Amino acid sequence: MRKLLELLGTGLLLIGASSLVHYFTDWFGKWAVLDRLPFLDGYELYASGVVAVLGFAVLCAGDLVPDGGTRAPARTPARTSRHPAGDAEPDAGEAEPQAHGGQPDAHAGEDGD
């Protein structure tokens, strides 16, 4: 899927950019596909810009899609307990509840005056 999006984005970007160059300089006459479409008569500049930006957006979207051959590894569920039995004993490093009614001590980090 990624390769298909890259191919499609590159094609759209080339068609849009070549039509823009052809509009301003009369080069890339054979590549200016949008100039030959009768329903875009008078709007070739706008259509070329839109197609070029669309091609760039498809290229960027292709980078977000994972490669076709590799899949993202499955996420393992988080462990809720460190004990194999599953009992919910608190860890030794957990802090005890505050003795001041849940309020942190205002002078806990200050040096003695």
Side-chain angles (χ1 to χ4, degrees):
M1 183 70 170
R2 182 176 186 169
K3 295 291 183 184
L4 178 67
L5 286 175
E6 288 176 353
L7 182 66
L8 180 66
T10 302
L12 288 173
L13 186 63
L14 284 175
I15 289 172
S18 65
S19 292
L20 282 172
V21 170
H22 177 71
Y23 183 83
F24 290 112
T25 63
D26 287 334
W27 292 354
F28 297 111
K30 293 181 181 181
W31 284 73
V33 177
L34 299 176
D35 291 341
R36 295 186 206 145
L37 299 175
F39 60 89
L40 290 177
D41 194 27
Y43 297 101
E44 294 91 358
L45 178 64
Y46 303 113
S48 301
V50 167
V51 169
V53 169
L54 182 65
F56 183 73
V58 170
L59 279 173
C60 290
D63 287 340
L64 298 176
V65 175
D67 287 338
T70 60
R71 289 188 158 206
R75 295 183 61 187
T76 57
R79 292 176 42 188
T80 58
S81 175
R82 293 185 183 189
H83 300 285
D87 51 350
E89 292 181 25
D91 291 337
E94 280 188 20
E96 295 294 321
Q98 299 278 333
H100 303 291
Q103 299 294 327
D105 191 9
H107 302 288
E110 295 180 6
D111 293 334
D113 290 319

